[in-house]
Amino acid sequence: MLQEMTSWTAMTKDELERQYSPRRWSHRMAADDVIKSHVKTLKEGTERARNLAQTLLNVPYGEGEGEKLDAYIPTTKSLDVPLVIYLHGGYWQFLSKEESGFMAVPLAEKGVVVVAVDYDIAPKGNMDLMVSQVRRSVVSVVQQYSHISGLYICGHSAGAHLAAMVLSTDWSQYSTVPQIKGAFLVSGIYDLLPILSTYVNDPLKMTEEVAIRNSPSKLIPQLKLSSSGCHIVVAVAENDSPEFRKQSEDYYKTLKSTGLNVTMEDVLNTDHFNIIEQLVDGNYHLTKLLMKMMGKS
């Protein structure tokens, strides 16, 4: 079981910032080193994927300069081709699709298309814009790849938040209704209110109103309406901070209580960073789980 902890409302600003600084909770290396290692690992994995799979790079999904995606396409004649959309982390202010193709290394070999999505990170982009962009990217992918056998979405950290916002979309405002079969939400934040007074919000400049309307935990009725047929996996690292772990547990419990198809994965021997880095490995627990979900195990 995940441990209980004090409500964030009772924490000092310093403690909140410590809880929401994932680099300070890794047992593998120093705080700055774990970030450098993370970026290096993701870049190397993405380079490997670009050498293994056919690629379509910088495909526009909108008119904005940052509204582009990369597709990693397997060499297969099969018509049974699942597609996974990956939304990168980086606290809505770092990283890009250039480090986000790594999971195509094992998936392309199994006949799975992987799409890595860019969005306008802060300070250029604000939270409302980023959420709008990833929603539109999903619509664009569905329109471009109408022959796929199943649509799946995976996000890490800030990307898990954005993926959860995609699941909570009112699709009546869009030109199509994506049928997302499965979602992997890895070490995400589902309630944005705790980070309002932390360093994380400095470039985002979210108000309480913005945080509430972009918190997946506040949008459960819409998620149930839009994504009732989706199998949702909420994954958290053993060495994520207690507050990150609580975010995942609370979101999982809320989804479960409404009757949604959701499972919780508490991944042993991982921290906030290598829980996602290891998706480059076909034998990794979460990779095998994703493949099983897609019928590719």
Side-chain angles (χ1 to χ4, degrees), residues 33-104:
D33 292 339
V34 79
I35 296 292
K36 290 175 188 170
S37 172
H38 184 57
V39 174
K40 181 172 182 283
T41 300
L42 297 186
K43 276 185 176 175
E44 288 174 351
T46 300
E47 286 170 13
R48 281 180 61 196
R50 290 182 177 181
N51 290 327
L52 286 170
Q54 301 176 65
T55 56
L56 292 171
L57 305 180
N58 300 310
V59 179
Y61 65 82
E63 296 180 1
E65 186 182 336
E67 296 177 354
K68 293 183 173 66
L69 54 83
D70 292 343
Y72 297 79
I73 303 163
T75 51
T76 175
K77 293 189 171 78
S78 171
L79 297 176
D80 177 28
V81 181
L83 185 148
V84 181
I85 294 173
Y86 178 71
L87 303 176
H88 69 80
Y91 256 159
W92 307 277
Q93 56 195 284
F94 302 111
L95 298 178
S96 70
K97 67 180 177 60
E98 302 304 314
E99 304 87 23
S100 301
F102 56 95
M103 66 189 296

Side-chain angles (χ1 to χ4, degrees), residues 8-206:
W8 66 269
T9 55
M11 293 183 196
T12 63
K13 185 175 185 289
D14 284 350
E15 179 57 21
L16 258 183
E17 295 211 332
R18 193 174 78 89
Q19 287 289 331
Y20 283 97
S21 299
R23 67 177 74 189
R24 296 171 69 176
W25 296 86
S26 174
H27 295 180
R28 294 180 295 131
M29 56 188 83
D32 289 343
D33 292 339
V34 79
I35 296 292
K36 290 175 188 170
S37 172
H38 184 57
V39 174
K40 181 172 182 283
T41 300
L42 297 186
K43 276 185 176 175
E44 288 174 351
T46 300
E47 286 170 13
R48 281 180 61 196
R50 290 182 177 181
N51 290 327
L52 286 170
Q54 301 176 65
T55 56
L56 292 171
L57 305 180
N58 300 310
V59 179
Y61 65 82
E63 296 180 1
E65 186 182 336
E67 296 177 354
K68 293 183 173 66
L69 54 83
D70 292 343
Y72 297 79
I73 303 163
T75 51
T76 175
K77 293 189 171 78
S78 171
L79 297 176
D80 177 28
V81 181
L83 185 148
V84 181
I85 294 173
Y86 178 71
L87 303 176
H88 69 80
Y91 256 159
W92 307 277
Q93 56 195 284
F94 302 111
L95 298 178
S96 70
K97 67 180 177 60
E98 302 304 314
E99 304 87 23
S100 301
F102 56 95
M103 66 189 296
V105 173
L107 295 187
E109 292 179 359
K110 294 285 188 176
V112 179
V113 178
V114 174
V115 172
V117 173
D118 247 354
Y119 49 90
D120 283 318
I121 57 176
K124 181 180 180 181
N126 59 44
M127 189 60 71
D128 288 325
L129 175 63
M130 287 183 262
V131 169
S132 169
Q133 286 176 324
V134 296
R135 286 171 169 167
R136 286 186 283 112
S137 78
V138 173
V139 170
S140 177
V141 166
V142 170
Q143 291 171 338
Q144 289 183 56
Y145 296 93
S146 56
H147 60 283
I148 60 173
S149 64
L151 178 65
Y152 302 83
I153 191 164
C154 176
H156 171 241
S157 197
H161 159 266
L162 293 172
M165 290 299 291
V166 168
L167 297 179
S168 309
T169 304
D170 177 0
W171 294 113
S172 66
Q173 302 172 39
Y174 294 80
S175 56
T176 190
V177 181
Q179 300 297 319
I180 301 173
K181 288 188 175 182
F184 268 60
L185 310 178
V186 183
S187 289
I189 294 180
Y190 309 105
D191 180 359
L192 299 182
L193 290 175
I195 65 170
L196 282 182
S197 63
T198 72
Y199 72 95
V200 181
N201 196 36
D202 290 347
L204 295 166
K205 296 180 169 52
M206 284 189 295

Side-chain angles (χ1 to χ4, degrees), residues 218-285:
K218 316 291 186 194
L219 302 172
I220 304 300
Q222 183 58 53
L223 185 147
K224 192 170 184 185
L225 197 63
S226 303
S227 304
S228 60
C230 180
H231 178 193
I232 302 169
V233 175
V234 178
V236 67
E238 179 183 15
N239 295 318
D240 260 319
S241 75
E243 185 67 12
F244 259 94
R245 288 171 61 79
K246 188 173 186 298
Q247 284 258 0
S248 288
E249 183 178 43
D250 287 352
Y251 191 56
Y252 162 74
K253 285 178 176 176
T254 304
L255 296 180
K256 189 77 173 172
S257 69
T258 62
L260 287 158
N261 180 11
V262 58
T263 52
M264 180 97 196
E265 293 292 326
D266 190 353
V267 188
L268 297 176
N269 302 313
T270 57
D271 58 34
H272 189 81
F273 304 98
N274 63 3
I275 188 175
I276 197 72
E277 293 168 3
Q278 293 182 74
L279 280 174
V280 76
D281 179 3
N283 292 315
Y284 174 48
H285 173 62

